[in-house]
Amino acid sequence: MLINSVSEAIDIIREINERGGDYHQIDLGNGLVLKGQWDMKGHLHYFDFPKDLTGKTVLDIGCNTGFFSFESEKRGAERVVALDVREIPAFFAVRKILNSKVEFIQKDIYNITPDLGKFDLVLCGSLLLHLTDLFRVIRIIRGLTKEMAIISTEVLLDEDVQDRPYCKFVAKQYPGWKDISVFWHPTVKCLFDILLRVGFSRVEEVSKFKLQNTEGGFARDTHVVIKAYV
C-alpha cells in the first residue's frame, strides 16, 4: 500500500481511530496514538523481549498493525520483516509516520518458502490459536529461525492433562468475529514436544498471562510465552 506523505498517513490514523481503532495500540509521538484493542507495551514484560537487537534480523509472523515489528526496529534490529496474510492500512500509515524501514510481505504462513531466508529472531504472537495445523506451522517457524523464536499462544490449563502432550479442539468464536477464530488449545507440554520434534534444541517457558484489551471488557484465555532456541 502506497502512502505518499506523513499528512496522508496521519489522516488515515485519525479515520481509523474515529471508527474505533485497530488491533495494536501504538504511540506515534506528538500526541498521536493509533487506538487498538491490545496495548502490547503494557504486556512486553511477559515476553522477556530483548532490550538490544542491534545488528539482528527479525521476522514478525502475523504482524497485524506491527507493534512488535516497530518495537524491534526501535531496539536496533538491522532488518525487520513483517508478514501478514493481508494488507493492513494502519500498518502502512504507522510505518510512514515513524519513517520506518520495516519491510512488509503479504503471505499466508503456510505458503512461506525457504527463499525467505533465516532470521536471528522470529516472533509469533497470538497467531497459532487461529491456525488449523499447529505442527506444520511450528515446523515452518523452525526453518526460518537462525537463533531464537518467541512464541505466544493460548494454552489449555486443565489440571488433568497438564503433564501430557495434549491438544484440545475448541472451535471458539471471538466476540464480534463472524467465523470460528480459535481452533486449538494445547498444553505447554504439547508445545514443548512439537518445538523439540521439529528441531529446536532447547525450549523454555517465559511466562503465562491474561491478554486484557484496552477497554477492559474482554480478556483472551491465558497465553503462554515460550522461547525456543536453535
Side-chain angles (χ1 to χ4, degrees):
M1 180 177 180
L2 179 62
I3 298 177
N4 294 311
S5 66
V6 171
S7 61
E8 181 184 348
I10 291 173
D11 287 343
I12 291 172
I13 295 296
R14 287 174 175 163
E15 182 181 342
I16 290 170
N17 286 346
E18 287 175 2
R19 296 199 305 263
D22 210 299
Y23 190 77
H24 294 126
Q25 182 162 297
I26 302 176
D27 188 342
L28 301 171
N30 299 315
L32 182 65
V33 175
L34 169 65
K35 294 179 181 178
Q37 282 187 294
W38 313 105
D39 181 9
M40 297 310 299
K41 187 174 182 179
H43 293 82
L44 263 180
H45 60 287
Y46 292 114
F47 288 78
D48 191 25
F49 200 70
K51 294 180 180 179
D52 185 4
L53 288 169
T54 301
K56 298 294 186 180
T57 57
V58 178
L59 174 64
D60 182 8
I61 300 174
C63 64
N64 208 293
T65 44
F67 173 82
F68 285 101
S69 301
F70 300 120
E71 188 65 28
S72 297
E73 185 178 53
K74 188 188 303 182
R75 297 182 183 215
E78 181 179 277
R79 182 189 179 210
V80 181
V81 175
L83 185 143
D84 207 285
V85 71
R86 61 190 177 91
E87 282 196 342
I88 301 163
F91 173 92
F92 295 97
V94 170
R95 183 172 69 174
K96 189 70 175 180
I97 293 167
L98 296 179
N99 192 28
S100 168
K101 294 182 173 59
V102 171
E103 304 167 36
F104 178 81
I105 295 177
Q106 183 179 358
K107 189 180 284 289
D108 187 314
I109 186 170
Y110 293 118
N111 296 327
I112 292 177
T113 54
D115 60 355
L116 185 60
K118 289 181 181 284
F119 296 80
D120 298 314
L121 173 62
V122 175
L123 304 169
C124 184
S126 298
L127 176 65
L128 294 182
L129 61 156
H130 300 305
L131 304 175
T132 56
D133 194 336
L134 283 182
F135 190 93
R136 180 180 173 192
V137 171
I138 292 174
R139 184 166 56 189
I140 289 170
I141 290 172
R142 171 61 185 91
L144 297 165
T145 306
K146 188 186 296 183
E147 294 181 1
M148 178 178 71
I150 298 178
I151 296 170
S152 178
T153 192
E154 289 182 2
V155 285
L156 182 64
L157 297 179
D158 189 328
E159 291 183 1
D160 293 335
V161 295
Q162 279 308 288
D163 297 327
R164 295 166 49 195
Y166 182 85
C167 196
K168 180 181 180 181
F169 181 65
V170 291
K172 185 172 68 174
Q173 185 176 342
Y174 275 149
W177 291 46
K178 294 181 180 179
D179 302 311
I180 292 173
S181 51
V182 179
F183 295 94
W184 298 105
H185 277 180
T187 59
V188 175
K189 168 67 172 171
C190 177
L191 289 172
F192 274 22
D193 283 6
I194 295 174
L195 287 161
L196 292 170
R197 177 70 66 179
V198 301
F200 285 101
S201 65
R202 180 168 62 90
V203 292
E204 64 176 276
E205 179 181 328
V206 178
S207 68
K208 290 189 182 80
F209 70 98
K210 283 277 192 178
L211 184 55
Q212 179 72 51
N213 79 344
T214 51
E215 296 177 355
F218 169 54
R220 286 182 165 178
D221 288 331
T222 299
H223 276 58
V224 68
V225 177
I226 294 172
K227 287 187 174 181
Y229 301 88
V230 172

